[in-house]
Amino acid sequence: MHSHLTRLLAVLALIAAPALHAAEITLRVGPVGPIGSCTHATIQAALAAASSSPGDITTILISGNATYTENLDISNKIVRLVGALPCDSIGIPWTVPVLNGAGGARRSILNVNGSPADIRLENLEFRNGDELLDNESYGGALDISAGPHLVVIQNVRFVNNSAGYGGAISVRGPQLPDGSGGPTSSLYLLDNVVVSDNRGAYGGGGLFCHAAFLTVQGTGSTFWQNQAGGAVESGSTPPAGGAYGGGVLGWHCDATLAAGPLPAVFGNIASGPGGGLAMIYGTSRLAVGNLTPTMPTRITGNSTDRFGGGMTLEKAAQATLYDSIVADNSARQGGGAVALYVESDEGRFTATSDFAEQEGRKRCSRTIECNLIANNLAYDGSQAKPGAAIRASRDDDGGDLSVFLRGTRLTGNAGATLFQFVDDITPGLSYVLSEGVLFDHNDLTGMLFDGCHFRSTCHFAAVTIADNLIGATAVLWGSNGTLGSFSLKRSLVHQPGKRVVMGNTLGDVVRYSVVNDLSGINTVTEGGLPVNIVGTPVFADANNGKYYLAGGAGRDFAPYTASDPTRDRGNRNIDIPAVPNTFGIQDAGALETPVAAPVLYDVNPPDGHVGVPYPDYVLQSNGQGGAVVFTATGLPPGLSLDPDTAVLSGTPPLGSEGTYGVTFRITNGLGQYTEVTASLPIHAGETPLFKDGFEGP
């Protein structure tokens, strides 16, 4: 995210640096002459009149309640195209201007090309652009090429446009995003940018990004029901293997995505890999984060005829999901949520709730379930395919594959396996690290995890595997060889009737774990006690995903390991007094069980005053259970309580004076709670200078 800010500043400097006497010019498009007072009858006429002097900014106000059918071009100018009220109209109802097609020409509605340009688009709709000529046609509505350019878009809809690549939008920079050779173009989609019902016949149903930076960061922005694939022009050849990226296709593209409350990528389809998104080649990076703690970014409801219903990462592309959601996607050949593919390079996928927060990358509130891969399908008709959640493969030249899951939940996914490594006998290494992960209620005709073979390193630490439907005789495939290793530690596996591990699991690879079957697991003791046991856990509320241990085996069983996360971001060092510490105070599995209801103490919120910001007040608690949530009822108007940080803040509005009885509650992951009711007076007028009866001399 910071690299995008740096790039934005660099491009702005490149475009604006020569300006010595910058001017701001406003032009108006609409009726001119006797019937109106606009300055130009067409948008292109206004663009031609826009200043090309370095640093000059030309704002073109385009009258609403109208449709414009034009071919538009911008080069080497700083221009703002803004939908506005019709000329000489004040306060009348209006709709945004529609830029409809390109005058019958088979070309993009707006081309930004040539020398560097700085463009803003706002309050517009681009519709029916048609650049679908062949596999070298780009951006049915908007084509950004050469440059480098800076384009910022807000409150704009792109609907029913088509092209070879990028049905609605294409951005192609002159350099690679790693900066080699100089700066490249940057495209920013801010609030309320809707890209829907567009088609890229060769790829990128909604957007195509090549050698550029792409930032989607805003409320109400979405890639919605776009298509990659479909018919091509007569005499043209459809893409072999199908068209990639139903919503977005990136080649050497550095992209960030943080949008809500609408799903950021929803209902897109692709004939090739990547129903929602496809990122290809080594400099492609995708970071998916959240705008706010209560508005997770979602990639949902996408589908593909090939691999990667939610997304595909190919040829060294990498993606990181920060507390985001990939759900309800489908892939007919496998990888219902995510597919990875490499050729003599390294591909990587990460899903985590353990990260440093920054703009566009916020942790979810504990009242919302995030870091979630759920209800994805890998089915071709009635035939289950590998990788209901994740499928990873390589070609004959090999390549390295890495998957990192930290604090993630994988639930409700269906296919042949949940996680599948394919073609593992080819050169290259595979690395899987799964820490604090919950695997539950997946429906599989084969194993849960198939792929830890002789060239793979697969480590499972503090995971819970329970209540999955597994068709195979074993839950996991694990093999220790000269080029790889397998381990399962401080974990809980409860799949009655299923062997836990199958394969060449030599040595001490399963440790401090509670399982339902010890077949194939070496017998190891420590202090005279077996380090793994067969036991039956008692979960608090498994049907609702609460896999805290309410009884049975596994509580206070493993040695405390500070690096082990919990699924709910709770504490690991909770000791249950009534339960013996077998090897330590840590529970086996992905969650740590609270010992009692959490407690609030010294609840005495200060007085507030109308129109004056309330002094931030933090509720004090013992935090029992780690992942606690704070709520309040009866608060004065204008005040709110943060459910994660327990900070009470806000500003009481006029007329809110009075004394309020506020009930504060703290709840842990088991649903145990404590309530305290306190008085909170709100006074009229200004804050007194002195309190407690002392009024000064």
Side-chain angles (χ1 to χ4, degrees), residues 238-313:
Y244 282 63
V248 176
L249 169 60
W251 290 356
H252 297 292
C253 177
D254 191 330
T256 64
L257 179 62
L262 296 174
V265 183
F266 173 79
N268 303 282
I269 61 175
S271 60
L277 306 103
M279 304 297 288
I280 306 175
Y281 300 117
T283 54
S284 285
R285 298 290 183 269
L286 173 65
V288 182
N290 302 325
L291 287 173
T292 72
T294 58
M295 196 163 59
T297 296
R298 293 174 289 159
I299 300 170
T300 64
N302 305 285
S303 63
T304 172
D305 292 338
R306 299 297 300 279
F307 309 104
M311 69 177 70
T312 191
L313 308 171

Side-chain angles (χ1 to χ4, degrees), residues 97 106 119 295 432-433 647 694:
R106 300 294 297 275
I119 311 299
M295 196 163 59
V432 177
L433 180 63
V647 175
F694 180 66

